Amino acid sequence: MIDFATGAPGIGARWTSSAKSGVGTALSTASPVWFTLSHGILNEIYYPRVDSACTRDFGFVVTGRDGYFSEEKRDCTHETVAIEDGVPAFSIINTADDGAYRIEKQVIADPARAVILQRMTFSALSGETGDYRVHALLAPHLVNAGMGNSAWIGEFEGARVLFASGRSRYLALVSSAPWGAMSAGFVGCSDGWQQLSAHGRLVRQYQRADDGNVALAGEIDLSATDGTVTMALGFGQTEHEAAAVAMHSLKEGFDAALKKYVAGWRKWQDSLVPLDRKEETGINPYRVSTAVLATHRASDRPGAAVASLSIPWGYSKGDDDLGGYHLVWPRDLVETAGGFLAAGDAKEALAILDYLRELQQPSGRWAQNFWLDGKPYWQGVQMDECAFPILLADMLRRHGHLKGSSLRRFLPMVKSAAGYILANGPATGEDRWEEDAGYSPFTLAVEITALLAAADILELDGETKAAGHLRETADCWNEQIEQWTFEGDPDLCRALDIAGYYVRIAAPDATDVAGPAGTTPIRNQTAERALMASDAVISPDALALVRFGLRAADDPHIVDTVKAIDHSLRAELPQGPLWYRYTNDGYGEHEDGRAFDGIGQGRPWPLLAGERAHYELAAGRPEAARALLATLEKSANEGGLLPEQSWDGPDMPELELFFGRPSGSAMPLVWAHSEHIKLLRSLADGAVFDMPPQGLARYVERRTASELRIWRFNNRLATIPSGKTLRIELDDAATIHWSADGWATVEDIETEPSGLGTHFADLPLEGLEPGRAVIFTFFWPESGQWENVDFTVRLGE
C-alpha cells in the first residue's frame, strides 16, 4: 500500500442530486443519524444533527472481464420502495441496464447507535458471481463541506476499516464480508472511481488522502459469502468511537436493528389521526407525509426541524452553499407544526413552539433562517416569520393544548413578537419568497391575524389595554390593504373584465402613500427582465387573505384576483393544474434545463395547489379541493415525496427532466408535505384546519372599520383621511408638543405605554377641517432634550 494519495486537494467539491427517492432516520435519541437516497444509492447522511451533512454519496461500482465497468447510480434501473406504510426503511433493487447483474439492498438507521446499515445482495444475471468485482465507493463531506476532509485505511479490533474525518467528526465503514483491495484518494485524480473506470480494479492502493476532496474505495470479497453483505457506516467524535459503533451494529445484526426500527415507527404512526388514502400505486401518501415530517426533526433538540434534507440543484453546488435547505426557517417550522397538529401529534407541535420561544431574539423577532443552535444563516427580516409563531401559539390554545400555566409560559414570547410587529410592520424587509421588501398581501394577512391572536392571548391574562392596542393597529392596517396592494394592469383588467387584483408586493413607502404604483424588482432574472411595473406582477399569495380569515372567498376583489392568477400563473400539467409563485419568477432551471445558478426560470410549485385547494374549500367547493388534492399527490415522485417545483418544459431525459415530474429543486419539501397533511385534515373536517377565527369574525362578519392612522419614525405619514384619529407611536416616552394652527396655539400631550414596548398618544383632531396641517415635535424627558425637528401631517378630504 502506498503511503499518500496523489493529486491533492482534488477537484472542487460538489453535492449531489436533490431528487431524493427516500429519507429516513430512527425514532430514537440514541441514533443521531439521518439518511437520504437517490438514484438507487445512499447520498447525504447527516450526523450528529439533522443540519450537518457528512457524506456526498455511498454506492457500488461493478467491474469485470474485458474492461467491464458499471456504476449502479448511473448504469442501472432503480426501484426504491418503503418496506411498510409510514416506515422509512427502504428496499432498493438496482438492475443493470445491460442485464449483467442485480443489486438488492435494504437501508435503515440503527436505532441504538449512530450507524447507517445497508444489507446488499449481488446477483449475476449474466455469467457467474466470480466474473465480477464489487466495490464500495464512499465520498465523505464532513461536516457540510467537501473540502478539508481526510480519508485513510486503518484497523479496529483486527478488522480493516475505511475511515474519514473532517471538522472534528469521524466516520468508519466496516463490512461483514472481508475487504479486498482498499484505497483512499483525491476526487478526480486518485480516487477509486478513477482507477476502476480506467483499470477495473484498484491498481494503486493509497493509505491516506489528507485535507482535500477525498473518497474511499474498497473491494468486497463476496467469495466468502452467498453474495450478501452487511455494511455499517458509523459516526463518532473520534475514529475509535465511529469504528466501535459500526462494529457493534454488525455484531447485533441487520434483522435485530430492522425489527426495532420498524417498531418505533409503527408505534408513532399508530398514534396519529387516521387520514389514510391508498393510491393505485400502492402508496399511502398520508403516511409518506407524516414520515417525512418526523424524519426532518432533530433528535437532540426537541421541536427543531429543518426545511429539507436536500440541497436544491446540489450537483451544481459546492462548499459555497453550506446550508442548502437543511436549516430552520421559522415559517416552515410553524407550517410543520401545523402538519403535526393536523395529524394528531400535539406534543410535537408544542415542542416546536417551545423551541421557537427559546430562539426568539431580544427584539422579539426570529432570524430569517438559522442552524439548529439558533445561529443565523441569512440576515433578512421577514415579518411573516415574526408573526407565525404567534399563530401557532393561538392554534394550540384554540385546540385545547395550551391553557393555564402552560399558556402563561408563552406569554412573554407572544407579547414580545407582537410588540416587534407593532413597531416594525406592516411593510416587510423580505416577502415569504426571501426576496422583495414592501407590502405583501401574504405577509399582511399573517401580521394582522397575529396581532388579533396575540390580543386574545394577552386578554386572557388580564392585559386588556395591550390587547385593545393590538386590535386597533390590526384594524388600521386591515383597512388599508386594498390601498396598498389592489390595482391592476389596465389592459389585462379589460381583457379579463375585472376591476383589478391584489399585486404580489408594493414598495415599502409610508403607509399613507404606499400603493402598487412604481416598479418591483424581479430577482434571479437577467438585467433586462429584472424590473417590472408593480401592478403587472401577480402572485397566488393574495389567497392568504382568505386563508387567514381577513377576506371572504367570494369578496369581489378576491374573485377578480383569482381570475388574474389563473390567467397569468396557472400551468396545466399531466397531473392537473399547478401555479407559479409570481409573474416572471426566475427561481428555477434555465430554459435549456441547466441548473439554477442565480438566474433561471421559475417552475410551478405543488404546494400552491394545496393552498389553492384550501381556498376552494373556504369557498364552499369541496369537490374542487379534492381534485386539487389529487393533483398535489400526483405531483410526487414514485415514492410519494413532494418536490419544491415541477418541470413544465419538454422532456429532457439526459437531464432527468420530464413534463409534470419533479424538477431539480428540493425534494422532499417539508412545507409541501405539511400542506398535504393539513389539506387531508381540512377535507375530513369540512373546514380549513388552520384558519384563525379572529379575522373572519372581525372583518368578514362584523366588517370592523378603523378610526386610526399611525405615525412612527419609521412610518412618517404626511396625510391622514379627515375624521381619523392621528396616533403617534414611539419607542420611548415623550411629551408631544403640537399645534393645529401654525403654532399660534400649542398643546402638550404625554405619551402612555402601550404595554407592548412602545409609547403612544392620540391627538384629538375632532372638528378640524380638511386640509388643516398638524405640526408636532417631541420633548424626551429621559434625556431632557427636544427633538428640534418639526413634523407635519395634513388632514385629507
Side-chain angles (χ1 to χ4, degrees):
M1 181 167 278
I2 303 168
D3 290 344
F4 301 108
T6 59
I11 62 174
R14 289 289 181 268
W15 291 100
T16 189
S17 172
S18 57
K20 309 306 180 189
S21 53
V23 293
T25 190
L27 294 184
S28 165
T29 56
S31 180
V33 283
W34 297 257
F35 65 87
T36 67
L37 304 171
S38 180
H39 296 82
I41 68 169
L42 281 158
N43 40 47
E44 289 106 346
I45 298 170
Y46 295 77
Y47 164 86
R49 307 187 104 180
V50 71
D51 61 355
S52 302
C54 289
T55 67
R56 180 186 188 274
D57 56 22
F58 171 23
F60 298 99
V61 167
V62 179
T63 61
R65 296 168 179 164
D66 301 320
Y68 183 79
F69 175 89
S70 179
E71 187 175 8
E72 63 169 343
K73 73 176 179 181
R74 290 188 175 96
D75 302 320
C76 288
T77 299
H78 316 294
E79 181 183 354
T80 301
V81 296
I83 64 171
E84 184 177 311
D85 283 350
V87 179
F90 297 94
S91 172
I92 304 169
I93 300 176
N94 295 328
T95 304
D97 293 334
D98 60 11
Y101 66 89
R102 178 181 297 120
I103 291 176
E104 299 177 67
K105 299 187 286 192
Q106 290 179 299
V107 181
I108 60 168
D110 185 341
R113 51 193 66 86
V115 176
I116 298 299
L117 286 168
Q118 183 169 223
R119 182 162 61 189
M120 184 271 286
T121 299
F122 177 84
S123 303
L125 302 180
S126 175
E128 304 295 329
T129 299
D131 296 336
Y132 301 94
R133 296 173 182 265
V134 181
H135 309 81
L137 267 65
L138 172 63
H141 274 213
L142 295 143
V143 169
N144 289 328
M147 302 304 291
N149 285 255
S150 294
W152 67 97
I153 310 303
E155 289 190 3
F156 180 78
E157 295 182 349
R160 301 169 77 196
V161 181
L162 298 169
F163 285 105
S165 69
R167 293 155 193 83
S168 302
R169 297 291 184 268
Y170 294 78
L171 63 77
L173 178 61
V174 300
S175 170
S176 64
W179 291 111
M182 308 169 76
S183 184
F186 293 103
V187 175
C189 304
S190 54
D191 65 280
W193 191 93
Q194 300 293 329
Q195 296 193 55
L196 293 173
S197 62
H199 308 290
R201 59 191 181 91
L202 298 173
V203 295
R204 297 177 68 83
Q205 298 179 52
Y206 299 105
Q207 199 270 334
R208 293 194 69 93
D210 290 304
D211 298 322
N213 181 13
V214 300
L216 289 157
E219 182 180 349
I220 305 165
D221 183 3
L222 294 177
S223 65
T225 73
D226 58 358
T228 298
V229 59
T230 298
M231 311 203 79
L233 181 58
F235 296 84
Q237 306 297 318
T238 66
E239 60 186 298
H240 181 278
E241 180 184 354
V245 294
M247 292 297 291
H248 201 158
S249 284
L250 275 189
K251 290 175 182 176
E252 286 202 354
F254 188 93
D255 287 329
L258 177 62
K259 182 178 180 180
K260 294 176 184 176
Y261 185 95
V262 171
W265 277 97
R266 282 178 181 167
K267 181 179 179 181
W268 180 72
Q269 291 281 9
D270 287 347
S271 72
L272 302 181
V273 175
L275 298 172
D276 305 78
R277 46 186 274 122
K278 206 82 168 181
E279 290 190 332
E280 294 177 3
T281 60
I283 290 176
N284 184 333
Y286 171 58
R287 297 298 171 174
V288 172
S289 286
T290 53
V292 166
L293 263 62
T295 295
H296 285 76
R297 297 181 299 186
S299 64
D300 65 335
R301 193 70 189 264
V306 297
S308 178
L309 288 171
S310 71
I311 298 173
W313 302 283
Y315 56 87
S316 67
K317 303 286 185 65
D319 288 358
D320 55 338
D321 192 339
L322 297 178
Y325 276 12
H326 44 271
L327 294 159
V328 179
W329 272 263
R331 171 184 50 255
D332 291 52
L333 190 56
V334 171
E335 299 283 10
T336 299
F340 277 118
L341 187 60
D345 191 344
K347 181 180 178 182
E348 189 61 35
L350 282 164
I352 288 172
L353 184 64
D354 206 35
Y355 173 74
L356 287 167
R357 179 186 64 82
E358 292 174 2
L359 292 185
Q360 187 178 27
Q361 296 184 345
S363 65
R365 76 177 184 95
W366 283 265
Q368 179 179 3
N369 57 13
F370 43 84
W371 300 102
L372 290 188
D373 61 6
K375 181 181 178 182
Y377 187 66
W378 292 344
Q379 303 299 320
V381 177
Q382 297 181 7
M383 295 300 293
D384 68 314
E385 294 195 317
C386 305
F388 264 119
I390 297 175
L391 295 183
L392 175 57
D394 185 59
M395 184 162 60
L396 285 163
R397 175 189 69 84
R398 290 185 285 103
H399 282 270
H401 303 298
L402 268 186
K403 50 190 173 183
S405 60
S406 63
L407 178 60
R408 281 192 292 274
R409 189 157 64 92
F410 293 99
L411 281 174
M413 182 203 84
V414 169
K415 189 173 182 180
S416 181
Y420 185 87
I421 298 168
L422 186 77
N424 294 278
T428 182
E430 291 184 9
D431 64 348
R432 71 164 171 168
W433 304 121
E434 330 280 349
E435 295 179 355
D436 292 325
Y439 295 83
S440 154
F442 183 92
T443 302
L444 289 168
V446 182
E447 287 177 299
I448 293 167
T449 309
L451 293 182
L452 297 178
D456 284 359
I457 292 172
L458 293 180
E459 197 164 60
L460 288 173
D461 200 49
E463 297 198 43
T464 55
K465 180 180 176 182
H469 194 85
L470 291 174
R471 292 187 182 112
E472 289 170 346
T473 302
D475 295 345
C476 177
W477 293 355
N478 177 72
E479 190 172 80
Q480 297 176 86
I481 289 175
E482 280 69 32
Q483 171 197 322
W484 295 330
T485 66
F486 191 83
E487 190 56 76
D489 175 77
D491 292 337
L492 180 60
C493 290
R494 279 193 295 271
L496 299 180
D497 191 25
I498 59 177
Y501 46 79
Y502 294 99
V503 302
R504 177 198 165 207
I505 198 163
D509 296 315
T511 54
D512 61 325
V513 296
T519 58
T520 293
I522 306 298
R523 310 296 178 183
N524 309 313
Q525 279 288 10
T526 55
E528 65 274 13
R529 302 182 67 185
L531 207 62
M532 288 186 66
S534 295
D535 66 3
V537 186
I538 304 171
S539 173
D541 287 0
L543 297 184
L545 295 170
V546 176
R547 180 73 172 264
F548 292 95
L550 304 189
R551 299 293 182 271
D554 61 355
D555 183 296
H557 293 94
I558 294 292
V559 173
D560 282 354
T561 300
V562 169
K563 291 180 182 177
I565 289 168
D566 285 350
H567 172 81
S568 302
L569 302 174
R570 179 171 168 142
E572 296 297 337
L573 299 176
Q575 64 268 40
L578 296 181
W579 285 264
Y580 300 97
R581 298 193 304 174
Y582 55 83
T583 311
N584 283 349
D585 180 15
Y587 182 57
E589 287 93 345
H590 289 265
E591 186 175 0
D592 62 5
R594 284 179 295 123
F596 172 75
D597 55 6
I599 294 174
Q601 181 176 320
R603 309 292 169 180
W605 285 53
L607 79 85
L608 294 177
E611 292 186 355
R612 177 59 175 266
H614 273 108
Y615 166 74
E616 297 294 341
L617 185 60
R621 296 186 286 268
E623 290 308 312
R626 289 190 184 93
L628 287 167
L629 168 64
T631 297
L632 176 60
E633 293 178 346
K634 289 176 182 177
S635 297
N637 70 358
E638 292 78 4
L641 301 184
L642 291 168
E644 181 180 62
Q645 301 178 42
S646 296
W647 180 246
D648 59 348
D651 290 355
M652 297 183 180
E654 69 282 4
L655 296 176
E656 299 181 350
L657 295 171
F658 300 93
F659 185 55
R661 307 310 302 141
S663 75
S665 56
M667 184 169 67
L669 186 66
V670 177
W671 181 6
H673 285 280
S674 300
E675 182 71 6
H676 173 237
I677 294 169
K678 287 188 283 186
L679 180 54
L680 287 170
R681 178 64 183 268
S682 296
L683 287 167
D685 293 350
V688 178
F689 174 75
D690 59 357
M691 180 184 287
Q694 292 92 341
L696 197 64
R698 196 170 184 88
Y699 304 129
V700 176
E701 296 172 2
R702 297 201 299 270
R703 299 185 178 275
T704 302
S706 173
E707 299 177 355
L708 296 175
R709 289 298 182 264
I710 303 167
W711 187 99
R712 300 191 313 254
F713 272 98
N714 58 353
N715 182 47
R716 300 185 187 189
L717 302 177
T719 61
I720 65 169
S722 181
K724 299 290 185 184
T725 296
L726 176 60
R727 171 165 292 175
I728 297 176
E729 191 140 24
L730 308 168
D731 291 338
D732 300 296
T735 299
I736 301 174
H737 189 67
W738 71 284
S739 173
D741 55 10
W743 297 120
T745 59
V746 176
E747 294 186 47
D748 287 342
I749 185 170
E750 305 294 328
T751 62
E752 57 182 294
S754 66
L756 296 151
T758 62
H759 301 259
F760 75 100
D762 294 340
L763 300 191
L765 306 182
E766 297 87 353
L768 295 181
E769 64 273 16
R772 181 71 66 89
V774 177
I775 309 170
F776 54 93
T777 189
F778 307 106
F779 176 76
W780 306 102
E782 186 171 337
S783 64
Q785 295 180 325
W786 285 90
E787 183 67 23
N788 290 324
V789 177
D790 289 347
F791 304 95
T792 300
V793 174
R794 191 172 297 277
L795 275 66
E797 297 298 327

